[in-house]
Amino acid sequence: MKKFLVALIVGFVTFSAFAQAEHYTKPAFPHHATAEERQMLGTWYRNVQFSAPPTGPVSAIAEFQPMAGVMIAYPLGIPVTLVSELSMITKVKVLVYPASDSNSVKSYFASSGVNMDNIAFWVINHDSYWTRDYGPWFILDGNDQIAVTDFTYNRPNRPHDNAAMESIANLMGLNRYEMPMVQTGGNYMTDGYGTAASTTLLLTENPNQTASSLQAIAGNYLGITNYMLLDDPLNDYIEHIDCWGKFLDVDKVLIGQVPASDSRYSEYEAVASTFANALTPWGNHYQVFRVYTPGGWSYTTPYTNSLILNDHVFVPIGGNQWDNAALAVYQQAMPGYTIVPISKNNYSPEWENTDALHCRTHELADPGMLYIKHYPLLGSLDLPSTTTLQAEIKALSGNPLVSDSLLVYYRTNNGSWQTTPLVGVGGANFEASFPGLQAGDVVDYYIFAKDESGRRECHPYIGAADPHQFTVLSVGVEDHATSNTIALYPNPCSRQFTVNCPKNAQSIEIFDLAGNLIYNTTDCETTTLINTSGWSTGLYLVRITDKGGSVHNRKLVKKY
């Protein structure tokens, strides 16, 4: 009898293992380009398809903006434990083909603790599970609609993957625009404010284009005004930016770190310095967070290859001594977020230094997003007597905003949170005033909005856990036009702003982020009004030179 029970148990365990293993069939293609694809890539750019670009202005949607779900592919490239975790917080769309595959996977998911109420199957033919690489890039177009920007996938022998984006856009009911560019999602990250970054693989795979022409294409189809093309420090086959870097917010970036003895050390430090010395669209310098990713053949440290999904961050861990430190970096960089470590299981494909969790998932934008765009007050500021901030708030659901739930939460010198209302000033534009600020005050704040669809959003996304912060240097600068005070107000601006010049000002020059001189005058008044209505949104450098030869630099943000 005992022998029979042992045999029964062994048989059940063996059957369970087989049942799990069948859901992780090896894809027909590797993550990297095959030898044949590498040969084809030299001329693949000739096959790009393109349509007219979307109506502008266009804004690319960042991974850390509000999302309605996540997309994965079957057979699975991720452990079922991750599917379960995702299903507890959002909708999960599973690419299956043929449709009959959904029958077996339903049973497997249900027996593995997956919340089946949040699972839906999209019958879309596909060649692989790397949904990041061939999945949709979301934009907000000039008609205030979420849409998809498509590209020619950089894997020539995977026609179903290349075509999948059209099917995904159709199932989501979104317009799709094809841009004339060979690309891949693992080599693209954006901040939602006109900055994007890729490795120079983009130039290699588009030999008929220059950096400037690629910038122009990205501008027309994605609203990108600052496209950073960076050398790949990983020095491996894939050359995808998500294998070593990640935007965590508009002014936060995570960069891998290797030991000084590593031959790639100087390359990693160079790219970290590039970000540390660059200005964000908000006018401040990037906060650069480093995570130890030595990699190598004997261990896996794929920590930048994570997925941000609303208030959760799913981080692949390698089962080694550096896991806890990596998770601590995320907790430091993203206070208020739930950081979820994800290990592979015995049947799912390995996490690799060049291919992990981010590569095999793709966030799905919310077509009814409650969209907030705001250029925050940051750093040490000279302020006018009435300090105002501006925000653009759009309920893409079509439901009205809840007027008494449009608020700025703020606190001064770490005191109690208070609120001040956001007041409409035309269209989607709102303003709020901070009352009673004094020199020396340290102000934390975040924006809160609600619409009648029930959506509630903050800016920054996580709200009170990690608010915007500024320090007041002085108050009432508009009353000092005859002094030597230098100030720009309002800043951020929309259609115009005033330069409060020193009495001995000789010239005013204004440069865009690319270093182009776009405004120049030697007709300096103590208060000089400058029209910005024809300028693009983004960051500008205002340079004031006085008659003594001293140069004064100030940063200006144009918000819309």
Side-chain angles (χ1 to χ4, degrees):
M1 183 64 176
K2 288 182 180 179
K3 290 181 180 179
F4 172 76
L5 286 175
V6 170
L8 187 64
I9 292 169
V10 170
F12 176 77
V13 170
T14 302
F15 175 79
S16 298
F18 175 78
Q20 290 189 60
E22 70 172 325
H23 299 287
Y24 296 97
T25 303
K26 185 177 180 180
F29 294 92
H31 192 209
H32 58 78
T34 64
E36 184 178 4
E37 286 176 322
R38 286 196 299 273
Q39 189 173 25
M40 295 172 69
L41 275 170
T43 57
W44 186 232
Y45 67 92
R46 298 174 184 170
N47 296 278
V48 296
Q49 304 294 313
F50 64 94
S51 64
T55 300
V58 180
S59 295
I61 300 299
E63 184 178 326
F64 45 77
Q65 289 184 271
M67 294 292 156
V70 64
M71 180 180 72
I72 61 174
Y74 180 85
L76 296 174
I78 59 175
V80 73
T81 50
L82 176 56
V83 182
S84 179
E85 291 280 1
L86 293 170
S87 72
M88 298 303 166
I89 64 164
T90 194
K91 301 292 184 182
V92 181
K93 310 297 184 182
V94 186
L95 272 58
V96 296
Y97 194 86
S100 57
D101 276 2
S102 62
N103 296 325
S104 60
V105 76
K106 282 178 186 176
S107 175
Y108 177 54
F109 280 179
S111 65
S112 301
V114 174
N115 176 13
M116 297 305 294
D117 290 338
N118 276 343
I119 297 293
F121 295 95
W122 283 350
V123 181
I124 298 175
N125 201 353
H126 54 283
D127 301 303
S128 72
Y129 51 63
W130 290 289
T131 54
R132 172 66 46 188
D133 290 344
Y134 58 80
W137 293 3
F138 295 102
I139 58 170
L140 177 66
D141 67 20
N143 297 316
D144 290 340
Q145 294 182 331
I146 297 295
V148 166
T149 291
D150 200 348
F151 50 84
T152 298
Y153 184 34
N154 71 343
R155 294 291 181 261
N157 268 355
R158 308 178 200 193
H160 301 116
D161 284 352
N162 193 32
M165 203 183 303
E166 181 175 2
S167 299
I168 293 162
N170 290 338
L171 284 168
M172 295 184 71
L174 303 179
N175 291 328
R176 181 180 64 94
Y177 302 93
E178 289 189 87
M179 64 178 176
M181 186 186 294
V182 177
Q183 251 289 16
T184 178
N187 193 32
Y188 169 79
M189 62 183 187
T190 185
D191 64 1
Y193 278 74
T195 295
S198 297
T199 71
T200 54
L201 174 67
L202 186 64
L203 293 169
T204 302
E205 293 182 337
N206 294 274
N208 61 325
Q209 303 285 357
T210 64
S212 296
S213 63
L214 289 168
Q215 170 74 73
I217 294 169
N220 290 332
Y221 289 84
L222 296 163
I224 301 303
T225 56
N226 178 32
Y227 204 157
M228 305 173 71
L229 298 181
L230 305 165
D231 291 333
D232 176 40
L234 187 67
N235 193 27
D236 211 325
Y237 70 89
I238 199 69
E239 294 186 71
H240 287 185
I241 201 166
D242 66 354
C243 296
W244 53 263
K246 188 178 190 69
F247 281 141
L248 305 179
D249 204 338
V250 177
D251 64 347
K252 294 180 181 180
V253 65
L254 180 70
I255 302 294
Q257 188 173 39
V258 297
S261 58
D262 193 305
S263 61
R264 305 165 299 168
Y265 176 78
S266 60
E267 284 82 1
Y268 271 93
E269 296 311 297
V271 76
S273 295
T274 294
F275 279 104
N277 293 320
L279 292 177
T280 79
W282 289 349
N284 58 335
H285 286 278
Y286 283 97
Q287 302 174 63
V288 180
F289 296 88
R290 306 299 300 275
V291 60
Y292 194 60
T293 55
W297 292 106
S298 58
Y299 41 80
T300 304
T301 53
Y303 307 124
T304 64
N305 205 256
S306 62
L307 173 69
I308 302 172
L309 195 60
N310 297 325
D311 61 354
H312 282 60
V313 186
F314 299 92
V315 182
I317 57 174
N320 58 54
Q321 67 209 66
W322 299 293
D323 289 348
N324 289 337
L327 298 172
V329 171
Y330 275 96
Q331 289 163 347
Q332 176 194 4
M334 306 181 76
Y337 286 80
T338 300
I339 311 300
V340 184
I342 300 292
S343 302
K344 70 165 293 293
N345 65 23
N346 290 332
Y347 308 101
S348 61
E350 297 287 344
W351 293 148
E352 299 177 17
N353 296 316
T354 54
D355 172 22
L357 189 157
H358 191 254
C359 299
R360 309 174 196 177
T361 58
H362 202 299
E363 68 284 349
L364 298 172
D366 180 6
M369 181 191 302
L370 181 51
Y371 177 86
I372 304 175
K373 191 168 189 178
H374 167 61
Y375 289 87
L377 302 173
L378 299 170
S380 298
L381 304 174
D382 294 308
L383 299 173
S385 297
T386 302
T387 304
T388 60
L389 60 80
Q390 299 87 29
E392 191 178 5
I393 305 176
K394 298 176 180 180
L396 305 185
S397 65
N399 290 278
L401 297 170
V402 180
S403 58
D404 62 357
S405 295
L406 304 176
L407 302 167
V408 176
Y409 283 79
Y410 73 99
R411 65 184 179 189
T412 305
N413 302 322
N414 211 31
S416 301
W417 288 102
Q418 305 175 66
T419 62
T420 186
L422 282 158
V423 179
V425 293
N429 302 314
F430 294 81
E431 291 186 351
S433 299
F434 289 113
L437 296 184
Q438 300 179 16
D441 283 345
V442 178
V443 181
D444 298 312
Y445 77 94
Y446 64 94
I447 292 170
F448 173 80
K450 178 181 177 181
D451 70 17
E452 291 189 4
S453 75
R455 289 173 172 84
R456 305 156 64 93
E457 299 296 346
C458 295
H459 193 293
Y461 180 86
I462 207 63
D466 191 20
H468 300 305
Q469 184 181 89
F470 66 92
T471 299
V472 181
L473 288 180
S474 64
V475 178
V477 296
E478 75 272 33
D479 300 325
H480 296 264
T482 58
S483 73
N484 283 320
T485 301
I486 298 174
L488 315 177
Y489 55 90
N491 189 11
C493 69
S494 54
R495 297 171 185 84
Q496 61 185 26
F497 73 100
T498 296
V499 182
N500 196 76
C501 296
K503 291 180 289 186
N504 63 341
Q506 178 171 289
S507 67
I508 302 172
E509 300 169 295
I510 302 179
F511 301 85
D512 64 17
L513 261 183
N516 300 309
L517 179 66
I518 63 166
Y519 179 91
N520 183 22
T521 184
T522 56
D523 186 16
C524 303
E525 303 290 339
T526 50
T527 54
T528 301
L529 183 67
I530 298 175
N531 188 317
T532 64
S533 56
W535 301 5
S536 300
T537 59
L539 180 69
Y540 295 86
L541 176 69
V542 179
R543 178 175 297 165
I544 301 165
T545 304
D546 64 32
K547 293 176 182 176
S550 296
V551 177
H552 311 271
N553 292 318
R554 296 291 186 271
K555 290 172 289 189
L556 174 77
V557 172
K558 184 177 188 297
K559 63 185 183 67
Y560 53 81

